[in-house]
Amino acid sequence: MAVTRALPLLDVDARVWRGRLFYGAVVAALAYLVVVPVWRLQSLAFENGGAGYESQYGRSDIGDTLRTTVQLALASLVIAMVLGTLLAFAVTRLPHRAGFLRVIPVLPIVMPSVANVVGWAFLLSPGPGYLNALMRQLPWWNDLDSGPVNVYSSTWVIIITGFGLTSFVYLFVSAGMQNISSEHLEAAQSAGSSQLGVFFKVVLPLLRPSLVYGGGVALLLGLGQFTGPLLLGQNEGMKVLTTEMYRRTAESPVNYAAAAAAASPLVILGLLVVFGQRFLLGNQSRFVTHGGKSFAPVGGRSYWAAAFVAGYGLVALVLPLVGVLIVSLSPFWSENLSWDFLTLDNYRELFSTPGITESVTTSVVTSLAAVAVCVPVGLATAMLVVRNRHLKVIRLLGDVISALPLGIPSVIFGVGFLLTYTQPPFILYGTKWVIILVYIVLMIPFATRMQMTALISMGDTYAEASAVSGASPLVTALRVTLPMLKPAVLSAVALMFILLTHEFAASLMVRSATTQVMGTLLYDHWSNGSYTLVAAMAILMSAVTTAGVAIAMIVGGRNVLDNL
Amino acid sequence: MTSKRLAAALAGGLFSVAALAGCGSDSGGGELAGSWDGIVEAAKKEGEVVIYGTVAPDNLELLKKAFEKKYPDIELTYVRGTDADLLPKVEIENQTGRGTADVHMTTDAGWIDRSADGGYSVDIVGPSFDNEDYDRSNSVIDDQWFLTSATVFGLGWNTQKLPNGVTSPEDLLAANLKGGKLGVTNPAGIPTYVDMYRTIDEDFGTDYVDRLAAMDPRVYDSAVAIGQAIASGEIWASPTIGSTILTEKANGAPVEFIIPEKPFGVPWYSHVLSSSPHPNAAQVLADFLVTPEGQAAISHDFVPALPDIEGTGVAGSDLLAQEIPLGDPDELSGDSVAAYQEEWEKQFLD
């Protein structure tokens, strides 16, 4: 100790170097996982004089593909932004008695997207879709023998995609709203601002980070949409860049170069959005909004808000679930329903059909494994970005690399991982490891951002107050920072588990024939037309996720979903 | 939080991963035993065998039951997919040496021809290939690919939607089936369908495919999906294979199937993969496929490769798989198939 005291500068230097080494190692590992597969894939597109680009962009339908990709992303973004923001606002105005409804906007995330999409197909397929069959009973449609809605049309793929993205926008916007201190609102009101004035001049500007993040994320998710176009759009030949990538990897021999070329515009846009968000948000400490009082809506509570939230829940969650449930209890999918037909055979088949129980185990094990890695790595990255401003280069790299998987569609990581891990030095094809690794990459942004947001929102004041009271940095970390981060960590764990047990796009690329997760096996049965089994599997997938959420609630308290 | 604590947490996370993930897939099998009895014994010790096939999933399930009945010590796992699903997997397994499949069934004549240079297959050694009824000289290619089954394409329809039925390919072009009431299979990645469209374009009537495209049919990824779509009433009729329709009919679905005057047929060939992780069990399964029990399973409602097998074949005919020729590999080269696919998409999807 005497020596250390005598050489305080050396001690500080050693600490800085230790930090540099530690964070440098974390960032290097992240770079290998995140950047290398995308880099290898993209360099392939340039090989042989850009043969990949020639093959993909020389196709006669490429114009249509690009147009559809952009249309899908923009139109579903508009739907998601409007619905997401309205929902966030409506939730703050829910009457006390209807308070339980505030969980509804996040519940569609709990329902797997493949289950949701097949649910809509069961409801709105032009022929046997249950809602279509009901609508054909109406006097003005009773002359139709199919329709009136065609779920396989691009319009409906866009609408369903928009519904799917709404929950994500809601999460970002509502998190932003919760963090706005009512002191700001009261101050504006005291200064004579109207309710509308408060919303536009105070709430919306303070929501800017949430809207920019939420909008950016939803746009990228829209551009990278895969499930809807693949499961529904094939019927009418809908093509987007992600489904083109999948098709190129389903050719013999696999045309990685063309798949990489199809991915290029999405990679470039992803990079632009990730860097654009950094530029737009700038100094994030401007958005520290913790105050003495939490957000309290200005103005009265409204039953219209309750009706809106409940209506959304009915359309986005209950209807597709009912569609799936009915088919899962039928011997075959048909518009002619009868109580006599009801059967539990499809659920029995879940246990007798090869691979289904294994796929549940694989999904749960790989998801848990990825979450177990993501939480500490995400925390390290969040600490690096928020609390280590002196490590300029490492901090910038950590920030950007951890955000990349949000910007680049998961299907691209899937193809990149397939390419990278079917070649030396690490041949992991056919193992669970490759699934775990791609899951880690996909979840790093969530693990990092959710813990980072909590750290940013806390600001430095708590740490400073702790320090002023005489606590050492370690004591401050253990007794102030970590307890305050606990809700964020638990929410991150819950969200990551939910997203991973649903994961489909990247899994579809890296799975092998006998190492499957629930989503990929469900897709195989969908392609093979085993609709009743698909419906039972969709219910099973939802049950697995619900069980995960229930455990998260037991561990983290009932509000764990609110913290999303 | 200090760096040490973070490092400890990170190490903890990684440890959990190692514990949770378990070991990887098995690959790289042992040696093939010297005699058939030795092979059967070694296969029992290997204890499992995996087949990839494009045949209907119900047939693969029948095969599993029949095989495990005869060889209770060997568990059969099957993976059903289209050629577009399975061929890239077979190629990756061959390239990485990490085999999952032991035996692979396909109808892709172009791929069968091209695979000879890729070292994908090993010689078959089972005694059943020399069974006189099997007609080895007409059923085995290069001692590696063996004829396993065959199918014929006909006309399937939903009897509630079309109570008067369908009698010829022309009936599918009726005005009331326009606009999404017919189903067709997308030939993307499945050269057999390219072959089928080329053939029925002449055999089902002049410019049949053009006229079919003008009906604005709904597009599916596989014939199995079409079978279910007809059963559900999502589509009313389709030029498709019979087995999936007949399976749905057996489940009580309102469907029917007929074979037209000039049907298109295609044989399935199988091979034992050189990347097989269970080389002995693979040979035992390959041999079983051409036994009467194996044929009763894999060729149920299909055209068998052995005569007089109950539950197989085309009603009212003693057609055998040996009579259905494999497509011309030259016409099913990668470039030719890609060019046709592009043309097809313009017709059916634009």
Side-chain angles (χ1 to χ4, degrees):
Chain A
M1 278 308 267
V3 176
T4 314
R5 272 185 195 152
L7 297 165
L9 278 177
L10 274 183
D11 187 35
V12 170
D13 262 8
R15 221 186 312 149
V16 169
W17 273 106
R18 268 207 307 272
R20 237 172 233 164
L21 276 178
F22 172 72
Y23 287 117
V26 171
V27 171
L30 275 182
Y32 185 80
L33 272 181
V34 177
V35 181
V36 168
V38 179
W39 179 261
R40 281 180 83 163
L41 191 63
Q42 287 306 297
S43 13
L44 255 190
F46 290 99
E47 275 180 12
N48 302 322
Y53 286 105
E54 207 177 305
S55 159
Q56 182 58 39
Y57 293 95
R59 299 174 68 86
S60 59
D61 54 5
I62 188 65
D64 272 347
T65 306
L66 290 171
R67 201 166 32 249
T68 314
T69 309
V70 173
Q71 265 172 2
L72 175 73
L74 291 181
S76 57
L77 173 69
V78 170
I79 294 172
M81 288 297 276
V82 172
L83 277 179
T85 313
L86 284 177
L87 277 173
F89 190 59
V91 162
T92 65
R93 292 172 66 84
L94 282 177
H96 287 298
R97 278 186 189 172
F100 66 94
L101 288 177
R102 73 202 147 102
V103 76
I104 282 184
V106 278
L107 279 185
I109 292 187
V110 179
M111 190 173 180
S113 60
V114 277
N116 189 285
V117 166
V118 300
W120 282 109
F122 294 146
L123 292 173
L124 290 175
S125 154
Y130 299 126
L131 281 182
N132 270 328
L134 273 181
M135 286 190 275
R136 287 200 293 270
Q137 305 292 323
L138 295 170
W140 55 91
W141 277 322
N142 64 7
D143 60 322
L144 296 179
D145 47 26
S146 71
V149 173
N150 178 7
V151 77
Y152 304 116
S153 65
S154 51
T155 309
W156 277 90
V157 173
I158 286 170
I159 292 172
I160 291 166
T161 305
F163 272 145
L165 298 181
T166 298
S167 295
F168 286 93
V169 173
Y170 167 83
L171 282 180
F172 284 98
V173 177
S174 104
M177 270 191 188
Q178 293 303 322
N179 280 335
I180 296 174
S181 155
S182 62
E183 286 158 2
H184 293 94
L185 311 181
E186 284 166 12
Q189 275 198 323
S190 307
S193 189
S194 67
Q195 274 197 41
L196 267 184
V198 172
F199 183 74
F200 283 107
K201 288 180 186 164
V202 181
V203 176
L204 273 189
L206 279 174
L207 280 179
R208 200 171 92 197
S210 315
L211 289 173
V212 170
Y213 258 132
V217 169
L219 175 68
L220 292 171
L221 287 174
L223 282 168
Q225 265 305 309
F226 181 61
T227 316
L230 185 72
L231 268 70
L232 299 177
Q234 297 304 305
N235 259 234
E236 308 239 329
M238 183 182 194
K239 285 180 181 171
V240 291
L241 285 173
T242 49
T243 54
E244 282 294 275
M245 288 186 69
Y246 175 64
R247 290 288 176 206
R248 298 295 90 77
T249 60
E251 285 174 359
S252 165
V254 174
N255 193 345
Y256 285 114
S264 292
L266 300 176
V267 172
I268 292 167
L269 268 172
L271 291 175
L272 284 177
V273 171
V274 167
F275 284 107
Q277 279 181 334
R278 279 188 57 81
F279 174 73
L280 278 173
L281 294 182
N283 177 7
Q284 300 184 344
S285 61
R286 281 187 301 152
F287 304 110
V288 174
T289 50
H290 268 212
K293 296 179 185 175
S294 63
F295 180 80
V298 184
R301 311 224 164 224
S302 158
Y303 282 98
W304 283 109
F308 180 71
V309 176
Y312 170 78
L314 180 73
V315 174
L317 189 73
V318 178
L319 281 181
L321 205 56
V322 167
V324 169
L325 198 61
I326 297 174
V327 177
S328 76
L329 293 169
S330 308
F332 52 88
W333 175 25
S334 161
E335 67 190 89
N336 303 316
L337 287 176
S338 157
W339 288 109
D340 305 338
F341 275 160
L342 290 188
T343 170
L344 288 174
D345 282 355
N346 300 314
Y347 290 94
R348 282 186 208 107
E349 229 182 293
L350 286 180
F351 298 97
S352 61
T353 305
I356 293 184
T357 43
E358 288 89 335
S359 76
V360 176
T361 316
T362 306
S363 275
V364 172
V365 166
T366 52
S367 301
L368 287 177
V371 169
V373 173
C374 277
V375 169
V377 174
L379 180 59
T381 316
M383 296 284 282
L384 166 66
V385 174
V386 178
R387 298 273 160 87
N388 287 278
R389 291 174 199 280
H390 57 286
L391 303 173
K392 284 196 176 110
V393 178
I394 298 177
R395 177 173 174 266
L396 177 73
L397 286 174
D399 194 12
V400 171
I401 292 172
S402 68
L404 277 182
L406 260 194
I408 297 172
S410 46
V411 64
I412 296 178
F413 281 103
V415 180
F417 270 62
L418 179 64
L419 172 73
T420 305
Y421 294 101
T422 49
Q423 289 173 9
F426 303 114
I427 295 178
L428 300 178
Y429 178 77
T431 69
K432 293 190 184 88
W433 287 107
V434 67
I435 299 177
I436 293 171
L437 289 180
V438 81
Y439 281 4
I440 291 172
V441 166
L442 297 182
M443 289 302 117
I444 274 297
F446 294 96
T448 307
R449 303 289 126 171
M450 287 178 77
Q451 296 182 85
M452 204 160 92
T453 309
L455 282 176
I456 292 172
S457 297
M458 274 168 62
D460 296 331
T461 47
Y462 296 105
E464 282 164 8
S466 173
V468 168
S469 307
S472 70
L474 179 64
V475 172
T476 302
L478 287 179
R479 298 184 59 182
V480 179
T481 312
L482 267 185
M484 290 187 76
L485 279 184
K486 189 182 158 198
V489 170
L490 283 173
S491 297
V493 168
L495 178 69
M496 288 190 285
F497 182 77
I498 292 168
L499 294 178
L500 287 180
T501 48
H502 295 180
E503 214 292 321
F504 173 63
S507 314
L508 190 63
M509 300 297 166
V510 298
R511 57 92 186 247
S512 70
T514 50
T515 307
Q516 301 246 33
V517 295
M518 292 188 286
T520 58
L521 199 62
L522 187 149
Y523 173 71
D524 283 353
H525 286 293
W526 174 262
S527 311
N528 283 332
S530 317
Y531 299 126
T532 49
L533 187 62
V534 162
M537 286 184 75
I539 297 287
L540 176 70
M541 268 181 94
S542 306
V544 169
T545 312
T546 309
V549 174
I551 292 170
M553 280 180 161
I554 291 167
V555 177
R558 282 185 167 193
N559 295 333
V560 73
L561 274 187
D562 295 352
N563 292 326
L564 292 180
Chain B
M1 174 162 287
T2 62
S3 302
K4 270 185 189 170
R5 204 176 160 77
L6 280 177
L10 185 59
L14 290 172
F15 180 76
S16 320
V17 173
L20 283 166
C23 55
S25 77
D26 48 348
S27 64
E31 293 288 311
L32 189 65
S35 67
W36 183 246
D37 287 344
I39 288 172
V40 174
E41 276 313 302
K44 287 177 185 167
K45 282 195 188 117
E46 286 168 352
E48 58 179 313
V49 65
V50 179
I51 181 168
Y52 287 178
T54 55
V55 73
D58 289 315
N59 292 63
L60 289 166
E61 183 62 31
L62 287 174
L63 175 70
K64 176 180 169 68
K65 287 192 177 125
F67 182 78
E68 289 178 357
K69 190 176 168 195
K70 183 159 183 186
Y71 298 102
D73 296 328
I74 310 172
E75 186 186 356
L76 186 148
T77 302
Y78 61 82
V79 177
R80 195 276 160 187
T82 62
D83 280 327
D85 297 324
L86 297 177
L87 292 177
K89 289 188 173 58
V90 171
E91 288 168 5
I92 289 173
E93 286 173 25
N94 183 263
Q95 169 212 325
T96 59
R98 281 187 171 265
T100 298
D102 299 298
V103 177
H104 167 224
M105 268 178 93
T106 181
T107 54
D108 186 344
W111 198 87
I112 291 172
D113 188 56
R114 290 194 297 277
S115 73
D117 301 330
Y120 286 95
S121 323
V122 297
D123 287 357
I124 45 172
V125 297
S128 304
F129 297 107
D130 297 320
N131 176 350
E132 206 173 304
D133 281 345
Y134 183 65
D135 189 9
R136 181 170 182 137
S137 59
N138 280 319
S139 306
V140 176
I141 304 170
D142 297 338
D143 289 329
Q144 293 182 333
W145 286 92
F146 57 97
L147 181 65
T148 314
S149 190
T151 188
V152 281
F153 283 71
L155 312 169
W157 72 94
N158 182 302
T159 53
Q160 282 176 353
K161 301 289 183 189
L162 294 173
N164 294 331
V166 170
T167 53
S168 75
E170 282 298 320
D171 290 352
L172 296 192
L173 307 178
N176 66 332
L177 292 175
K178 218 169 168 155
K181 311 263 175 35
L182 286 179
V184 292
T185 310
N186 191 337
I190 314 177
T192 300
Y193 280 102
V194 172
D195 201 11
M196 181 202 80
Y197 283 112
R198 283 173 177 160
T199 309
I200 68 170
D201 197 35
E202 293 169 13
D203 288 356
F204 279 11
T206 316
D207 295 333
Y208 190 78
V209 172
D210 283 344
R211 292 187 288 146
L212 189 63
M215 297 293 288
D216 198 12
R218 210 166 278 293
V219 177
Y220 292 84
D221 277 346
S222 73
V224 187
I226 284 192
Q228 294 261 334
I230 293 179
S232 72
E234 184 168 71
I235 50 170
W236 296 7
S238 172
T240 186
I241 60 172
S243 75
T244 52
I245 305 286
L246 297 174
T247 305
E248 292 307 312
K249 190 180 171 185
N251 287 343
V255 293
E256 199 47 84
F257 177 82
I258 58 154
I259 293 175
E261 205 177 318
K262 289 186 186 170
F264 168 78
V266 63
W268 268 282
Y269 275 78
S270 307
H271 61 145
V272 172
L273 290 156
S274 53
S275 55
S276 156
H278 315 105
N280 295 287
Q283 292 289 350
V284 172
L285 174 60
D287 183 77
F288 181 77
L289 279 166
V290 299
T291 61
E293 304 103 295
Q295 280 297 300
I298 203 72
S299 296
H300 181 71
D301 284 337
F302 285 112
V303 181
L306 288 178
D308 306 323
I309 305 290
E310 203 178 327
T312 66
V314 177
S317 138
D318 53 2
L319 184 71
L320 286 178
Q322 282 83 350
E323 296 165 58
I324 298 177
L326 196 58
D328 180 351
D330 293 336
E331 287 181 13
L332 296 172
S333 67
D335 290 343
S336 167
V337 167
Y340 185 84
Q341 170 66 21
E342 196 162 340
E343 192 186 314
W344 188 92
E345 287 186 3
K346 273 187 204 152
Q347 280 179 299
F348 283 84
L349 296 177
D350 275 354

